Amino acid sequence: QKTNLILQAIDKKINAPLSCSAGRLFDAVAALLNICTNTSFHAEAPMRLEASIDPAEQGSYFSQARDASDHAGFIRTGRIIENIVADIRKGIDPGRISARFHNSISDIIVNAVTGISKGHGIKKVALSGGTFQNKYLSERIENQLEEKGFEVLIPLQLPANDGGIALGQLAIAAKKRSLGMI
C-alpha cells in the first residue's frame, strides 16, 4: 500500500521534486537495501550505507550502466538502480550491493574527470561536496585519479560540505565587491 502511494506521488509529481544532489541517490539506495528507511539526522542514510560496505567486494554496476552519463553532463543512474534491484531480488548481501554502488559512483566520477581532462587538458581536480565526506568513496576516487596522473585536491582545513561552499561564495562576493562589481 505504501509503495502504491509513493508511485502515485511520483506519477503526479506530488512532493517528488527532481534533485541534483548525490545525497538523495545515497538515501534511495540505503532505503532500497533497508539499511535506513527513516532518518533522525542529516546524512544518516549515506553514513549507514557506507558503514555497510563489504570491503572485499570489488564489483561495480558502472560497466553495466550504459546510460551513466549523457552529452549534457547529466549522470543517469537508472540502470544502476535496476541492477541494485536485480541483486536484491537475487538475495545478494546488502554489504556487497553497497560496495558495488559505491564503486559505481567512484567509477562514474573518475570516468567524468578523465573525459573532462581529455577535452580541456586539466590534470588538477578538487574533490568537494558532502558526498566526499564518505571516506570509502573519497579515498577510492583519490587513489584512482592519482594512478591516472591527476593532482587531487581535498579539503583539509575547511569542511567538504556546504560550509566550504559557503566560504567559497563569500570569497567570490568579497572579490567582486573589491572590484566594484557589487
Side-chain angles (χ1 to χ4, degrees), residues 38-64:
N38 294 301
T39 61
S40 56
F41 59 89
H42 179 68
E44 179 180 4
M47 289 168 57
R48 291 185 185 276
L49 186 62
E50 178 186 10
S52 74
I53 291 171
D54 177 347
E57 177 61 55
Q58 295 300 308
S60 170
Y61 299 114
F62 179 66
S63 63
Q64 302 164 354

Short mmCIF file of all heavy atoms in Angstrom, two decimals, residues 38-64:
data_model
loop_
_atom_site.label_atom_id
_atom_site.label_comp_id
_atom_site.label_asym_id
_atom_site.label_seq_id
_atom_site.Cartn_x
_atom_site.Cartn_y
_atom_site.Cartn_z
N ASN A 38 14.19 5.54 7.57
CA ASN A 38 13.80 6.76 8.27
C ASN A 38 15.06 7.35 8.89
O ASN A 38 15.85 6.62 9.49
CB ASN A 38 12.79 6.47 9.39
CG ASN A 38 11.47 5.97 8.84
OD1 ASN A 38 10.83 6.65 8.05
ND2 ASN A 38 11.08 4.78 9.24
N THR A 39 15.22 8.65 8.74
CA THR A 39 16.42 9.28 9.29
C THR A 39 16.07 10.18 10.47
O THR A 39 14.99 10.77 10.52
CB THR A 39 17.15 10.11 8.23
OG1 THR A 39 16.29 11.15 7.77
CG2 THR A 39 17.58 9.25 7.06
N SER A 40 17.01 10.27 11.39
CA SER A 40 16.82 11.17 12.53
C SER A 40 17.85 12.29 12.54
O SER A 40 17.80 13.16 13.38
CB SER A 40 16.86 10.38 13.84
OG SER A 40 18.07 9.64 13.95
N PHE A 41 18.82 12.26 11.61
CA PHE A 41 19.78 13.36 11.48
C PHE A 41 20.29 13.42 10.04
O PHE A 41 20.18 12.44 9.29
CB PHE A 41 20.94 13.22 12.47
CG PHE A 41 21.73 11.94 12.35
CD1 PHE A 41 22.83 11.85 11.49
CD2 PHE A 41 21.39 10.82 13.10
CE1 PHE A 41 23.55 10.67 11.39
CE2 PHE A 41 22.11 9.65 13.01
CZ PHE A 41 23.19 9.57 12.14
N HIS A 42 20.84 14.56 9.66
CA HIS A 42 21.31 14.80 8.30
C HIS A 42 22.39 13.80 7.92
O HIS A 42 23.32 13.54 8.69
CB HIS A 42 21.86 16.23 8.18
CG HIS A 42 22.39 16.54 6.82
ND1 HIS A 42 21.58 16.63 5.71
CD2 HIS A 42 23.65 16.75 6.37
CE1 HIS A 42 22.31 16.90 4.65
NE2 HIS A 42 23.58 16.98 5.03
N ALA A 43 22.27 13.24 6.75
CA ALA A 43 23.23 12.29 6.16
C ALA A 43 23.29 10.95 6.88
O ALA A 43 24.22 10.18 6.67
CB ALA A 43 24.62 12.90 6.07
N GLU A 44 22.29 10.65 7.66
CA GLU A 44 22.27 9.36 8.36
C GLU A 44 22.26 8.19 7.38
O GLU A 44 23.02 7.23 7.54
CB GLU A 44 21.06 9.27 9.30
CG GLU A 44 20.98 7.94 10.04
CD GLU A 44 19.79 7.82 10.97
OE1 GLU A 44 18.95 8.75 11.03
OE2 GLU A 44 19.70 6.79 11.66
N ALA A 45 21.40 8.26 6.38
CA ALA A 45 21.30 7.14 5.43
C ALA A 45 22.61 6.90 4.68
O ALA A 45 23.09 5.76 4.62
CB ALA A 45 20.13 7.36 4.47
N PRO A 46 23.24 7.95 4.11
CA PRO A 46 24.53 7.71 3.45
C PRO A 46 25.60 7.17 4.40
O PRO A 46 26.42 6.33 4.02
CB PRO A 46 24.92 9.09 2.91
CG PRO A 46 23.62 9.80 2.74
CD PRO A 46 22.76 9.31 3.86
N MET A 47 25.58 7.63 5.65
CA MET A 47 26.56 7.14 6.63
C MET A 47 26.34 5.66 6.92
O MET A 47 27.29 4.87 6.98
CB MET A 47 26.48 7.97 7.91
CG MET A 47 27.01 9.38 7.74
SD MET A 47 26.64 10.48 9.13
CE MET A 47 27.35 9.63 10.49
N ARG A 48 25.10 5.28 7.08
CA ARG A 48 24.80 3.86 7.34
C ARG A 48 25.11 3.00 6.11
O ARG A 48 25.58 1.88 6.24
CB ARG A 48 23.34 3.70 7.76
CG ARG A 48 23.05 4.28 9.14
CD ARG A 48 21.61 3.98 9.56
NE ARG A 48 21.29 4.62 10.80
CZ ARG A 48 21.57 4.11 12.01
NH1 ARG A 48 22.19 2.95 12.10
NH2 ARG A 48 21.25 4.76 13.10
N LEU A 49 24.85 3.55 4.93
CA LEU A 49 25.15 2.83 3.69
C LEU A 49 26.66 2.60 3.58
O LEU A 49 27.10 1.49 3.26
CB LEU A 49 24.63 3.63 2.49
CG LEU A 49 24.73 2.96 1.13
CD1 LEU A 49 23.89 1.68 1.07
CD2 LEU A 49 24.29 3.94 0.04
N GLU A 50 27.45 3.61 3.87
CA GLU A 50 28.91 3.47 3.83
C GLU A 50 29.37 2.44 4.86
O GLU A 50 30.24 1.61 4.58
CB GLU A 50 29.59 4.81 4.09
CG GLU A 50 31.10 4.71 4.12
CD GLU A 50 31.79 6.00 4.51
OE1 GLU A 50 31.13 6.96 4.96
OE2 GLU A 50 33.04 6.04 4.39
N ALA A 51 28.79 2.48 6.05
CA ALA A 51 29.18 1.56 7.12
C ALA A 51 28.87 0.10 6.76
O ALA A 51 29.48 -0.82 7.31
CB ALA A 51 28.50 1.94 8.43
N SER A 52 27.93 -0.10 5.84
CA SER A 52 27.53 -1.46 5.49
C SER A 52 28.41 -2.10 4.41
O SER A 52 28.26 -3.28 4.11
CB SER A 52 26.07 -1.46 4.99
OG SER A 52 25.99 -0.90 3.69
N ILE A 53 29.32 -1.34 3.82
CA ILE A 53 30.13 -1.82 2.69
C ILE A 53 30.90 -3.08 3.06
O ILE A 53 31.54 -3.15 4.11
CB ILE A 53 31.13 -0.73 2.24
CG1 ILE A 53 30.39 0.42 1.59
CG2 ILE A 53 32.19 -1.29 1.29
CD1 ILE A 53 31.27 1.63 1.31
N ASP A 54 30.84 -4.07 2.17
CA ASP A 54 31.70 -5.25 2.27
C ASP A 54 32.99 -4.89 1.54
O ASP A 54 33.02 -4.82 0.31
CB ASP A 54 31.02 -6.45 1.59
CG ASP A 54 31.88 -7.71 1.59
OD1 ASP A 54 33.10 -7.62 1.89
OD2 ASP A 54 31.34 -8.77 1.26
N PRO A 55 34.10 -4.67 2.29
CA PRO A 55 35.34 -4.20 1.65
C PRO A 55 35.97 -5.21 0.69
O PRO A 55 36.79 -4.84 -0.14
CB PRO A 55 36.26 -3.91 2.83
CG PRO A 55 35.71 -4.68 3.96
CD PRO A 55 34.23 -4.82 3.72
N ALA A 56 35.55 -6.45 0.76
CA ALA A 56 36.10 -7.47 -0.14
C ALA A 56 35.46 -7.39 -1.53
O ALA A 56 36.02 -7.91 -2.49
CB ALA A 56 35.89 -8.86 0.44
N GLU A 57 34.30 -6.75 -1.63
CA GLU A 57 33.59 -6.66 -2.91
C GLU A 57 34.23 -5.61 -3.80
O GLU A 57 34.36 -4.45 -3.42
CB GLU A 57 32.12 -6.30 -2.67
CG GLU A 57 31.30 -6.12 -3.93
CD GLU A 57 31.22 -7.36 -4.79
OE1 GLU A 57 30.81 -8.42 -4.28
OE2 GLU A 57 31.57 -7.26 -5.98
N GLN A 58 34.64 -6.00 -4.99
CA GLN A 58 35.28 -5.08 -5.93
C GLN A 58 34.40 -4.80 -7.15
O GLN A 58 34.80 -4.04 -8.03
CB GLN A 58 36.64 -5.64 -6.37
CG GLN A 58 37.65 -5.72 -5.24
CD GLN A 58 37.93 -4.36 -4.62
OE1 GLN A 58 38.25 -3.40 -5.32
NE2 GLN A 58 37.79 -4.27 -3.31
N GLY A 59 33.22 -5.41 -7.21
CA GLY A 59 32.35 -5.24 -8.36
C GLY A 59 31.79 -3.84 -8.45
O GLY A 59 31.80 -3.06 -7.49
N SER A 60 31.28 -3.51 -9.65
CA SER A 60 30.71 -2.21 -9.92
C SER A 60 29.57 -2.38 -10.92
O SER A 60 29.64 -3.24 -11.79
CB SER A 60 31.78 -1.28 -10.49
OG SER A 60 31.22 -0.08 -10.97
N TYR A 61 28.55 -1.57 -10.79
CA TYR A 61 27.46 -1.58 -11.76
C TYR A 61 27.77 -0.66 -12.94
O TYR A 61 27.02 -0.62 -13.90
CB TYR A 61 26.15 -1.10 -11.10
CG TYR A 61 25.69 -1.96 -9.96
CD1 TYR A 61 25.66 -1.47 -8.66
CD2 TYR A 61 25.29 -3.28 -10.16
CE1 TYR A 61 25.23 -2.25 -7.60
CE2 TYR A 61 24.87 -4.07 -9.12
CZ TYR A 61 24.85 -3.55 -7.84
OH TYR A 61 24.43 -4.33 -6.79
N PHE A 62 28.86 0.08 -12.87
CA PHE A 62 29.17 1.09 -13.88
C PHE A 62 29.28 0.50 -15.28
O PHE A 62 28.73 1.03 -16.23
CB PHE A 62 30.44 1.84 -13.53
CG PHE A 62 30.83 2.87 -14.55
CD1 PHE A 62 30.03 3.99 -14.77
CD2 PHE A 62 31.97 2.73 -15.29
CE1 PHE A 62 30.38 4.94 -15.71
CE2 PHE A 62 32.34 3.68 -16.23
CZ PHE A 62 31.54 4.79 -16.44
N SER A 63 29.98 -0.61 -15.42
CA SER A 63 30.15 -1.19 -16.75
C SER A 63 28.83 -1.68 -17.33
O SER A 63 28.67 -1.77 -18.55
CB SER A 63 31.15 -2.35 -16.70
OG SER A 63 30.66 -3.38 -15.88
N GLN A 64 27.87 -1.96 -16.46
CA GLN A 64 26.54 -2.41 -16.91
C GLN A 64 25.62 -1.21 -17.17
O GLN A 64 24.56 -1.36 -17.74
CB GLN A 64 25.90 -3.30 -15.83
CG GLN A 64 26.73 -4.51 -15.49
CD GLN A 64 26.29 -5.15 -14.18
OE1 GLN A 64 25.45 -4.63 -13.48
NE2 GLN A 64 26.88 -6.27 -13.87
#
